[in-house]
Amino acid sequence: MIIKSLDPRITRAGIDDESKDGIQQPMDQWHTYEVFQQKKRGTHHVHVGSLHAPDAELAVLFAKEQYARRGQCVNLWVVKTSDVFTTEYEDEDIFATTPEKKYREPEVYKVMDRIQAYKAKQNT
Amino acid sequence: MYGNAYVENTGNQNSLTAGEDPVKLAEFEARIAAGEKIEPQDWMPKEYRRQLIRMIEQHAHSEIIGSLPEGTWITRAPGFRRKLALMAKVQDEVGHAQLLYSACETLGKSREDMINDLINGKSKYSNIFNYPAVTWADSAVIAWLVDAGAIINQLTNSKGSYGPYCRALDRICAEESFHLKYGHDNVVFLATGTPKQRQMVQEALHRWWPPLMHFFGPSDKISQHTETLMKWKVKMASNDDMRQQFLDMYVPKIWDLGLTVPDPNLKKNESTGKWEYTEPDWEEFKRVINGDGPCNKERLAVRRMAEEKGRWVRNAILKKDAQYVAPLA
Ligand SMILES: [Fe+2]
Ligand SMILES: [Fe+2]
């Protein structure tokens, strides 16, 4: 049966409600891109999400609509998801700062203590 | 029933964790209890994944189908400013669907499969969108009160445990405040206008009240199943709690405008602090969600047509050697 709607545009479209068309084939929605947004010049690009697009140029267009419709944005990057190489959460421990690497932290360098001790000794 | 975990009557109420590795399960549950988010690459119970896929997918479909009743009024919105605002809102809703489809894909279901399950009627979407927006006032009531319900649901779910869903919801909630203000503005404009405008908005409110009371779904059955979903932070609040929150926030605002809702029993019990109301007609709810509502056929037919008529465009720019990879996060 042809759909009769409150919306004149839908009635005019003459849609058959028994139609079985419209079924998606694999890749009908294209592949995925990851989107990075820079809010202000001078700040980092930050991952904001992903989207589907057939190529990078359209991915930028869709990213603008999807992620930069409001608020600040001065620049966008898109990267094919398949090109992103990631670490595994399982290996999270590789990032742990171990106690023996304290020499990399600024607060372990206590020059003032030494200077004060030296001055105290001079004055006696 | 928006992005809502709900319990299936599978008969086997205790099986959510059946067959799972007890050590991994304990680690997983400890991580959630500590407030950590689960990411797509993490180990997760099969049922956690399955329940989330169903919930997020249903939420995505609700956004996309939800834009149809309001879309009805784009061409006939009174005045150019309202037409622009309504178009922006509808675009937001379709954008919400995109964000949610991506979040759901990280769990392993492709967007094509989700769209197919929608147009085949296999996946559900929020029942409220099976009702028609008969007048412009209906579209105003939808933008105010259906979005109000959606915000309560989405804010609640955004505290859940699955990272990609929470992040999508944070973005969505930020946009919803415009929808709510826009809707309230339209309702107030009509309610403070001519007698005819007031009557229009009053009638629309009466039409939308029963589906609004259905919006959060029937009372949850207390079961081990629900408890597990709550422990996993898939389900964040009971349907009744969200309904109470909605009534508490919006009934006073409705009454303040001198408008009424079609339930003589609706009142706040001052001693319990809870709202009392006539039990919604859950038989109607079931009937409509199973396909027999005023607009079910039209909603799916329009969605199917959009896929069918858009196919040549998608095909024209399709890269033949492209390979699908699920979104990262
Ligand atoms: Fe939305
Ligand atoms: Fe909305």
Side-chain angles (χ1 to χ4, degrees):
Chain A
M1 229 168 50
I2 301 299
I3 297 277
K4 269 189 94 70
S5 172
L6 278 168
D7 186 341
R9 297 169 308 162
I10 290 173
T11 306
R12 277 199 303 271
I15 308 165
D16 183 358
D17 71 359
E18 304 293 334
S19 161
K20 287 283 167 277
D21 286 327
I23 295 300
Q24 307 274 298
Q25 303 304 316
M27 293 307 291
D28 264 9
Q29 298 285 321
W30 311 310
H31 50 205
T32 59
Y33 284 82
E34 302 298 323
V35 181
F36 299 80
Q37 180 186 11
Q38 188 185 35
K39 288 199 164 172
K40 255 165 64 181
R41 277 172 188 266
T43 61
H44 286 288
H45 285 71
V46 175
H47 182 250
V48 286
S50 56
L51 50 76
H52 288 244
D55 57 41
E57 221 178 317
L58 278 165
V60 167
L61 184 73
F62 296 161
K64 177 182 164 286
E65 287 303 309
Q66 180 73 57
Y67 295 103
R69 209 158 65 247
R70 283 197 181 82
Q72 288 182 314
C73 180
V74 295
N75 200 250
L76 284 169
W77 292 347
V78 295
V79 181
K80 242 191 233 173
T81 305
S82 57
D83 287 341
V84 181
F85 192 78
T86 70
T87 60
E88 302 290 329
Y89 282 106
E90 261 177 39
D91 303 329
E92 218 174 301
D93 58 346
I94 64 174
F95 304 111
T97 301
T98 47
E100 66 269 24
K101 286 184 179 167
K102 272 281 183 268
Y103 54 80
R104 300 191 301 190
E105 311 295 337
E107 64 273 11
V108 302
Y109 295 95
K110 311 260 188 241
V111 286
M112 283 318 286
D113 293 358
R114 204 171 173 88
I115 292 171
Q116 252 124 44
Y118 174 74
K119 284 185 179 165
K121 214 167 113 193
Q122 293 290 300
N123 293 338
T124 52
Chain B
M1 295 304 301
Y2 201 60
N4 225 355
Y6 67 99
V7 178
E8 275 177 328
N9 293 319
T10 50
N12 199 343
Q13 290 290 303
N14 303 332
S15 65
L16 284 190
T17 56
E20 300 293 355
D21 178 337
V23 177
K24 284 186 169 158
L25 182 63
E27 277 172 13
F28 170 83
E29 291 184 344
R31 180 177 289 167
I32 290 175
E36 260 183 57
K37 300 285 179 192
I38 303 301
E39 294 297 337
Q41 321 170 351
D42 287 328
W43 182 89
M44 59 187 87
K46 285 189 280 304
E47 276 296 318
Y48 177 85
R49 184 184 300 274
R50 201 176 68 90
Q51 296 282 346
L52 273 170
I53 288 176
R54 187 178 52 189
M55 176 163 116
I56 302 172
E57 179 182 354
Q58 183 180 301
H59 189 170
H61 295 331
S62 300
E63 299 283 354
I64 220 156
I65 296 292
S67 64
L68 297 176
E70 286 181 282
T72 311
W73 285 94
I74 288 177
T75 53
R76 294 165 291 165
F80 193 56
R81 192 182 62 88
R82 291 194 190 85
K83 192 193 292 272
L84 287 175
L86 180 54
M87 280 197 291
K89 179 184 189 291
V90 166
Q91 188 189 8
D92 284 353
E93 305 298 8
V94 177
H96 296 172
Q98 307 291 336
L99 292 171
L100 292 161
Y101 282 134
S102 286
C104 192
E105 282 179 82
T106 63
L107 290 159
K109 185 165 184 177
S110 74
R111 196 159 80 173
E112 289 86 352
D113 284 347
M114 289 188 260
I115 294 173
N116 284 341
D117 285 349
L118 171 66
I119 61 186
N120 286 331
K122 201 178 145 206
S123 301
K124 300 281 182 242
Y125 53 86
S126 185
N127 204 34
I128 203 159
F129 303 122
N130 286 320
Y131 292 86
V134 186
T135 69
W136 165 251
D138 293 65
S139 87
V141 170
I142 296 173
W144 186 31
L145 293 176
V146 179
D147 280 64
I151 291 170
I152 290 172
N153 178 275
Q154 291 171 144
L155 275 176
T156 307
N157 285 352
S158 73
K159 314 283 188 302
S161 62
Y162 189 57
Y165 187 39
C166 298
R167 290 190 288 269
L169 288 174
D170 284 344
R171 287 195 157 267
I172 289 171
C173 289
E175 295 186 349
E176 291 290 1
S177 41
F178 147 60
H179 303 176
L180 189 71
K181 283 271 180 125
Y182 157 84
H184 196 200
D185 185 73
N186 281 332
V187 167
V188 169
F189 189 87
L190 294 172
T192 57
T194 65
K196 191 159 186 192
Q197 285 172 318
R198 241 185 110 73
Q199 189 193 344
M200 251 174 90
V201 75
Q202 178 61 81
E203 285 171 3
L205 192 55
H206 276 235
R207 274 192 287 277
W208 286 87
W209 193 253
L212 278 165
M213 288 299 284
H214 288 151
F215 184 81
F216 297 102
S219 296
D220 304 288
K221 287 191 224 84
I222 306 299
S223 68
Q224 215 153 345
H225 196 113
T226 332
E227 268 174 41
T228 307
L229 291 176
M230 290 239 181
K231 181 163 73 180
W232 288 349
K233 297 187 185 170
V234 170
K235 188 166 185 59
M236 295 302 291
S238 78
N239 297 351
D240 282 332
D241 283 352
M242 287 192 279
R243 188 163 24 245
Q244 284 290 331
Q245 203 183 328
F246 173 77
L247 295 171
D248 215 33
M249 289 173 78
Y250 294 96
V251 173
K253 292 193 173 76
I254 292 168
W255 285 348
D256 189 43
L257 289 168
L259 299 172
T260 62
V261 297
D263 180 358
N265 299 320
L266 182 72
K267 64 168 187 303
K268 189 170 184 171
N269 181 329
E270 290 304 337
S271 59
T272 60
K274 297 265 184 218
W275 286 83
E276 291 167 0
Y277 48 81
T278 309
E279 193 56 30
D281 181 353
W282 295 113
E283 286 309 311
E284 175 183 330
F285 175 76
K286 264 187 240 159
R287 203 177 62 240
V288 175
I289 207 162
N290 287 319
D292 189 20
C295 300
N296 301 50
K297 274 196 170 162
E298 175 180 334
R299 301 291 182 243
L300 291 189
V302 169
R303 191 65 240 140
R304 210 182 287 123
M305 177 206 67
E307 298 302 336
E308 182 195 327
K309 295 207 167 152
R311 164 157 300 136
W312 72 272
V313 181
R314 291 197 305 273
N315 280 343
I317 43 185
L318 185 68
K319 297 282 179 293
K320 287 279 176 286
D321 55 347
Q323 290 246 314
Y324 177 76
V325 177
L328 260 188

